[in-house]
Amino acid sequence: MPTLSDIQDKLRRPLELELAQGCQNRAVSGGMERLLDSFARPFPKVREALRGYGELQPDRRQEAVQAALVLLAPTDRPAPKVPTRVETRPAQNASAGSPETDAAPLPPGTELSRVNFGPGAPRKFAALGLHTLRDLLHNYPRRHEDRRALPSLAQVEDGQKVTVEGVVVSKSRRTPRPGMFILEATLENPWGERVKCTWFNQAWVEKGLREGLRLIVSGRAKRFGRSVQVAVEHMESVGQDSLSTGRITSVYDAKEGISQDFVRRATQTALNRVPPGDYLTPRWRTQYALTDLPGALWGMHFPHDEAQLERANHRLRFDEYLFLELRVLLQGEDAVLLGKRFSASDRDMQAFEAGLPFRFTNAQRRVLYEIADDMRAERQMARLLQGDVGSGKTAVAACALYLAWRDHYQGALMAPTEILARQHYASLSGYLGGLGVRVGLLIGALGAKQKTEVQRQIAEGELDVVVGTQALIQENVQWHNLGLAVVDEEHRFGVMQRRKLLAGRPDVLVMSATPIPRSLALTSYGDLELSVIDELPPGRTPIQTKLIQDTARRQSYGFVMKQIREGRQAYVVTALIEESETLELLAATQLADDLKVLLPEARVGLLHGRMSAQEKDEVMDSFRRRDFDVLVSTTVIEVGVDVANATVMVIENAERFGLSQLHQLRGRVGRGSAQSYCILVAGEHSQKTRKRLKIIEDSTDGFVIAEADLKLRGHGELRGTRQSGLDELRLGDLASDLEIIEQARELAKHILKHDPTLSHPGLAYLKAELQARSSQVAYREVI
Ligand code: ADP
Ligand code: MG
């Protein structure tokens, strides 16, 4: 994102050109004022100086340009950093003014239905899961786009992601081959330059695309000599004086049929209606150098500049950790729960290991002793088992389940998806079946009759270990004698889901492959104790990873074809396109079509988020059976799917993924003994992207990757893909927020030490906010 001084530079150039050309108002086609309209908004004095430029006499024009250039002269002063500054509310900011400002203030808990947001608003809020003014205020943008000064086409590089504003001057459509529909529109930007925009297979866009409409589009640019074409990923239409343009603009998670503009206006209304309170006292704000809440909320949704956005982000991130800590500490109250008590003898562990086709690694053995110690204790076990993909967590969990079974207790393993549940079912049957343990599967895809039957077997103790999805915790599952619950990839489940499984107070083992530095695990998992498997089983051939640019795509697929000819299978993953399931589906379909050309001999299958759980399972099963060679997929394969014969993974537009996510994805190959490969295709060719992706190329260690990622992401950078993996954190990133987390923990402890039940009237707002956040987490939909 360019800084204000970058914009200053960019604005200076045409002015200098104008001066050199004798002020004929030709440096910008369409006239100087046109440029100013969308370009000089952050510099009101410059706009003032050049007002009515076209009408001025040449010598007057010269004065005006010179005055503007003085105003735009580069300054070397660094922006002053005043962390505790009280933000001015942009009610004084003309572009954010609103007729609602004068209306009576409403408390943040006010239901949205009580405020007039215009026709259709209730349906839209319901679709977005927003109920109160507070929800709207804390519905943070997914990202920000700098639209203060949109680039001139001359500055656009090939492959770069760009945002362009312009008016539609023409449109057309083509159907180059059956099943493919390309819509093209030419936009004229404020510089008078024209840019061609393309939409693939998105027929519905055409209807809304009138000539004369002013649009903001973003997408990837392709250069053909002097002309530029943009493959549109995000599009908005904008009015003349909109919240959407000429500023740092918020882009929200949206649903189809809900415009960005609607969310922005509603948020603005909410900001204007809620009185300026804060749940943190001025003293705490000063102590931790935090900006005040109203300023932070305005700054998050409608920042004037990067500095305000940074302060807002810092404050709201602090709040996330504070409430998380408060919740953890408050829950800790009744944490001395009695759980099950098992004998968990060394002899039983040895017996289990004797039945394995391998020996446990030292790391597996160490964590097993930690788990066995917990199981023997009277206290309820609450342990997080963390280890990289393929480190052998499932084998360890199987051993723990075996120990429970030896004491005649039932065991459960809950997985976040049906695919994973099936897979765990297969491996647990392998580990435990031979030892006489009866393993069952309970997932939504079972027929009603089958389900009832499994439920009966659970209730009557005819099954010893049951693997399943959240079907395991539904009302009609009555356990005979649940002793140990294993939860895989816990962060995908809400707190309530976990609680339900815990109703009978079984011991609990949570498995996660998300690398979280040890110091932070306590925060993120609250009461859980931590065991780490920090060693991979021997004999693994490390995955070879190669980073290429999309210009070399053809050769890479040549390599993939070679592997397929040798009888191997491949994954090809495409990034999820934000904001639209339809687009996601189209991206995957499009890629599958591409591959028919790039990999002519291969059989290609498709997996995407729009499929039902059952459809996904069918596709995975047939891939496992080798019914086809290449599985094209969106990120739904992210977690734990195992196909040993798949040795290649191609990740398209790798730059759109977080590093940890890339690492997880890559873990899908290399599950067998054969050499496996991961090809990262960079769709963007900047130095920064290359440097980031090189981390994945150079390392296969999840912790190293998480740390390197943290070092690379400097301060002040706008937030991209969320990586924390924790539902509660919308802004925070566990890997990089160590200092904030410690401060928040300190404050949470301080608050509860003086008022353990938060009943002091001065803490009422804090308490209400804590309750709002807790219930949001608890009722979150699973998966
Ligand atoms: P995770 O659950 O951590 O992803 P798994 O338990 O699924 O890892 O193990 C990955 C693969 O490694 C499985 O095929 C498993 O059989 C194998 N495996 C597990 N432990 C060992 C070990 N100690 N030695 C050799 N292979 C192992
Ligand atoms: Mg696993």
Side-chain angles (χ1 to χ4, degrees):
M1 169 156 163
T3 62
L4 213 54
S5 82
D6 292 339
I7 303 172
Q8 221 163 322
D9 280 347
K10 285 181 191 158
L11 199 51
R12 256 201 329 269
R13 259 175 260 149
L15 288 172
E16 280 160 359
L17 183 64
E18 174 72 7
L19 206 55
Q21 289 179 349
C23 296
Q24 299 176 39
N25 202 14
R26 285 227 202 103
V28 178
S29 72
M32 196 56 82
E33 283 166 280
R34 186 153 180 191
L35 165 71
L36 296 171
D37 268 352
S38 68
F39 207 69
R41 222 167 282 212
F43 305 101
K45 285 191 181 153
V46 174
R47 296 179 77 182
E48 188 54 40
L50 293 168
R51 185 191 296 275
Y53 188 81
E55 263 69 76
L56 298 178
Q57 295 300 314
D59 54 333
R60 286 273 157 199
R61 283 187 187 164
Q62 193 178 336
E63 280 169 21
V65 172
Q66 278 164 340
L69 281 168
V70 169
L71 290 166
L72 289 167
T75 49
D76 295 316
R77 263 180 300 125
K81 210 171 174 188
V82 192
T84 52
R85 193 183 100 177
V86 173
E87 304 294 347
T88 50
R89 304 182 58 196
Q92 297 115 305
N93 173 342
S95 71
S98 147
E100 296 279 354
T101 320
D102 302 331
L106 295 167
T110 308
E111 295 284 329
L112 289 169
S113 56
R114 292 191 40 216
V115 187
N116 181 14
F117 286 99
R123 182 189 55 78
K124 292 175 187 172
F125 288 132
L128 293 170
L130 304 172
H131 307 290
T132 62
L133 287 176
R134 184 237 155 249
D135 294 348
L136 192 50
L137 296 180
H138 291 277
N139 174 43
Y140 308 134
R142 179 192 178 90
R143 61 189 171 84
H144 292 89
E145 230 172 63
D146 188 353
R147 298 183 184 167
R148 286 172 299 190
L150 302 177
S152 133
L153 295 187
Q155 297 156 349
V156 169
E157 289 170 36
D158 191 37
Q160 194 191 346
K161 181 138 186 203
V162 293
T163 302
V164 183
E165 179 183 352
V167 172
V168 179
V169 290
S170 67
K171 65 170 178 176
S172 65
R173 58 157 140 161
R174 297 189 280 132
T175 311
R177 57 194 162 87
M180 190 170 186
F181 176 86
I182 299 178
L183 184 63
E184 291 178 338
T186 302
L187 300 191
E188 189 175 277
N189 74 8
W191 304 73
E193 299 162 324
R194 294 191 167 197
V195 59
K196 188 185 270 179
C197 300
T198 53
W199 290 261
F200 292 98
N201 287 341
Q202 295 165 57
W204 72 88
V205 174
E206 191 179 14
K207 198 157 40 90
L209 212 61
R210 291 176 281 108
E211 281 171 26
L213 187 71
R214 184 189 280 262
L215 288 183
I216 288 203
V217 299
S218 33
R220 213 154 292 280
K222 276 233 177 296
R223 264 212 105 85
F224 302 98
R226 296 184 53 202
S227 73
V228 171
Q229 189 170 322
V230 175
V232 178
E233 290 167 17
H234 176 87
M235 165 180 110
E236 287 176 32
S237 66
V238 293
Q240 262 310 328
D241 192 34
S242 160
L243 297 173
S244 313
T245 179
R247 60 183 307 144
I248 299 177
T249 308
S250 297
V251 181
Y252 297 86
D253 274 325
K255 290 242 155 66
E256 267 148 42
I258 305 174
S259 72
Q260 291 289 328
D261 213 44
F262 169 78
V263 183
R264 285 182 204 127
R265 291 195 177 281
T267 307
Q268 188 194 36
T269 305
L271 281 164
N272 280 322
R273 293 300 291 270
V274 171
D278 199 328
Y279 35 73
L280 298 187
T281 65
R283 230 189 72 205
W284 295 337
R285 294 203 301 268
T286 311
Q287 185 174 349
Y288 297 107
L290 302 169
T291 195
D292 67 316
L293 182 64
L297 291 172
W298 275 107
M300 177 52 70
H301 294 286
F302 302 104
H304 319 286
D305 54 27
E306 299 89 338
Q308 191 194 6
L309 179 57
E310 174 60 24
R311 282 192 297 275
N313 199 316
H314 183 262
R315 160 72 203 256
L316 296 174
R317 233 160 53 223
F318 182 95
D319 290 4
E320 287 190 337
Y321 291 116
L322 176 71
F323 288 109
L324 189 61
E325 295 289 350
L326 284 172
R327 219 158 46 89
V328 166
L329 292 173
L330 284 167
Q331 276 170 6
E333 288 293 289
D334 56 347
V336 220
L337 296 174
L338 293 188
K340 304 291 181 235
R341 195 168 176 174
F342 304 90
S343 28
S345 72
D346 285 2
R347 198 145 39 84
D348 283 345
M349 277 194 268
Q350 281 152 14
F352 177 84
E353 190 176 0
L356 293 175
F358 49 76
R359 307 264 304 149
F360 278 132
T361 61
N362 287 332
Q364 281 172 312
R365 207 179 300 281
R366 176 171 42 75
V367 303
L368 254 175
Y369 282 123
E370 290 166 359
I371 292 169
D373 274 346
D374 279 2
M375 288 178 73
R376 281 190 290 263
E378 201 155 359
R379 200 166 46 90
Q380 183 183 32
M381 169 163 79
R383 189 165 281 279
L384 169 62
L385 173 57
Q386 191 190 294
D388 223 335
V389 270
S391 59
K393 296 184 293 295
T394 312
V396 167
C399 184
L401 289 164
Y402 174 76
L403 295 176
W405 174 74
R406 291 286 292 159
D407 283 324
H408 312 289
Y409 279 108
Q410 285 176 306
L413 196 167
M414 184 158 81
T417 65
E418 299 208 345
I419 295 179
L420 269 181
R422 279 180 196 274
Q423 192 169 293
H424 279 312
Y425 172 66
S427 34
L428 287 192
S429 303
Y431 288 129
L432 299 169
L435 298 164
V437 182
R438 295 162 299 179
V439 183
L441 177 69
L442 182 62
I443 52 180
L446 295 183
K449 222 166 117 193
Q450 255 176 312
K451 232 186 269 178
T452 322
E453 173 58 10
V454 177
Q455 283 159 357
R456 187 194 61 76
Q457 290 175 317
I458 294 174
E460 292 178 16
E462 287 174 23
L463 284 172
D464 303 313
V465 169
V466 185
V467 184
T469 52
Q470 81 270 28
L472 279 184
I473 48 168
Q474 272 149 13
E475 309 304 321
N476 26 15
V477 178
Q478 296 293 328
W479 292 86
H480 175 65
N481 188 10
L482 182 62
L484 175 65
V486 181
V487 184
D488 192 15
E489 298 292 344
E490 193 257 359
H491 61 264
R492 309 230 160 190
F493 295 101
V495 175
M496 284 316 254
Q497 270 77 30
R498 197 171 107 203
R499 292 257 172 83
K500 268 195 184 166
L501 192 57
L502 302 193
R505 294 271 164 84
D507 277 11
V508 178
L509 183 64
V510 173
M511 304 197 283
S512 172
T514 311
I516 299 172
R518 194 176 269 272
S519 55
L520 305 184
L522 195 115
T523 294
S524 47
Y525 288 97
D527 47 340
L528 301 191
E529 285 172 86
L530 182 65
S531 291
V532 182
I533 307 185
D534 51 7
E535 174 188 1
L536 289 183
R540 294 275 168 82
T541 326
I543 300 166
Q544 282 185 28
T545 304
K546 185 114 187 79
L547 171 61
I548 63 148
Q549 302 206 332
D550 53 6
T551 42
R553 217 169 145 230
R554 203 164 267 277
Q555 286 106 289
S556 322
Y557 279 105
F559 175 78
V560 175
M561 200 58 237
K562 211 166 126 239
Q563 288 280 307
I564 292 172
R565 285 203 196 98
E566 286 170 18
R568 301 297 179 188
Q569 288 164 282
Y571 295 102
V572 178
V573 180
T574 170
L576 201 90
I577 294 181
E578 64 183 284
E579 292 153 15
S580 166
E581 285 181 331
T582 320
L583 287 188
E584 180 202 331
L585 171 58
L586 283 168
T589 319
Q590 179 98 31
L591 182 58
D593 279 354
D594 271 8
L595 292 185
K596 288 184 187 139
V597 180
L598 287 167
L599 301 171
E601 297 158 53
R603 296 164 299 168
V604 178
L606 182 61
L607 188 73
H608 57 78
R610 275 250 174 136
M611 291 175 163
S612 71
Q614 197 181 347
E615 287 169 324
K616 285 182 201 160
D617 280 356
E618 278 162 16
V619 172
M620 276 323 292
D621 283 344
S622 66
F623 187 53
R624 204 170 295 149
R625 284 197 308 268
R626 295 170 73 169
D627 291 349
F628 54 90
D629 311 300
V630 180
L631 179 65
V632 175
S633 164
T634 54
T635 41
V636 287
I637 56 158
E638 189 180 340
V639 248
V641 174
D642 246 341
V643 178
N645 191 50
T647 54
V648 195
M649 165 158 300
V650 182
I651 305 179
E652 294 272 358
N653 286 110
E655 73 281 357
R656 293 195 205 163
F657 293 95
L659 290 187
S660 299
Q661 207 183 0
L662 286 172
H663 177 63
Q664 300 263 323
L665 277 170
R666 176 171 61 180
R668 298 302 107 228
V669 293
R671 311 294 289 189
S673 52
Q675 174 66 56
S676 291
Y677 307 88
C678 175
I679 301 170
L680 305 172
V681 184
E684 185 196 344
H685 306 163
S686 70
Q687 274 300 324
K688 204 166 137 198
T689 297
R690 192 204 309 264
K691 208 164 150 199
R692 205 169 70 89
L693 293 178
K694 254 193 100 51
I695 296 173
I696 298 286
E697 191 177 47
D698 293 344
S699 175
T700 51
D701 182 324
F703 285 87
V704 171
I705 290 168
E707 267 164 35
D709 190 20
L710 154 65
K711 279 199 200 112
L712 254 194
R713 274 180 291 159
H715 269 295
E717 191 170 311
L718 293 188
R719 195 164 40 98
T721 326
R722 279 204 296 270
Q723 282 204 24
S724 82
L726 265 184
D727 278 350
E728 292 93 322
L729 301 181
R730 301 181 45 99
L731 301 171
D733 183 342
L734 290 173
S736 59
D737 289 343
L738 187 51
E739 197 187 337
I740 306 183
I741 291 170
E742 279 171 356
Q743 292 175 342
R745 187 182 303 166
E746 183 185 274
L747 180 57
K749 280 189 179 152
H750 170 85
I751 294 173
L752 291 178
K753 193 170 143 215
H754 291 92
D755 186 358
T757 52
L758 302 179
S759 32
H760 189 278
L763 294 180
Y765 191 0
L766 184 84
K767 190 171 185 173
E769 179 64 19
L770 178 66
Q771 280 160 347
R773 292 187 188 220
S774 303
S775 66
Q776 257 180 359
V777 175
Y779 299 122
R780 192 178 296 274
E781 211 179 312
V782 184
I783 302 163

